Structures are given as C-alpha cells and as structure tokens.
C-alpha cells in the first residue's frame, strides 16, 4: 500500500508539471498533493512511534 500511495503522489506531481502553474486546476492539484502527502506522513510517523492502529475517520 505504501508504494501505491507514493506512486500516486509522483503521478500527481508529474501532472502538475504537465498542466503548468497557469492552468486553472493547478492550485487545486497542488493542494491535494500536499494534503495527501502530509496526511500519509503523519500516519506513517505515528505508526513508527508505536502509536495505536486507530483510524479516526472510520465511523
């Protein structure tokens, strides 16, 4: 799963290069890429520190 997430982030960054900063969706795509990366990193760090395997988004 980790590799799949990283691959998706790389693909999104490549799309950002393709569409360019003047594209209307560039800011949205950049924000999504940054948010996903930050959330993934936070979860990864939490697990590495031995935190419980709890998903706060599960209902």
């Amino acid at each position: 799963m980790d590799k799949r997430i990283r691959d998706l982030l790389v693909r999104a960054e490549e799309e950002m290069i393709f569409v360019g900063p003047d594209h209307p969706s560039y800011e949205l795509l950049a924000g999504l890429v940054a948010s996903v990366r930050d959330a993934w990193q936070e979860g990864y760090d939490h697990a590495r520190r031995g935190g419980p395997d709890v998903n706060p988004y599960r209902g």
Side-chain angles (χ1 to χ4, degrees):
M1 181 63 100
D2 293 347
K3 183 173 176 2
R4 198 172 97 202
I5 293 171
R6 282 190 226 125
D7 289 346
L8 287 171
L9 288 172
V10 168
R11 282 181 52 204
E13 288 175 341
E14 289 170 355
E15 286 297 318
M16 288 172 55
I17 292 169
F18 177 72
V19 299
D22 57 339
H23 191 276
S25 298
Y26 184 85
E27 187 176 337
L28 173 63
L29 186 55
L32 288 171
V33 168
S35 295
V36 169
R37 177 178 288 112
D38 292 348
W40 181 85
Q41 190 66 52
E42 183 180 329
Y44 181 81
D45 292 343
H46 177 74
R48 284 195 64 175
R49 288 190 300 266
D53 185 22
V54 176
N55 184 348
Y57 302 106
R58 231 178 282 175

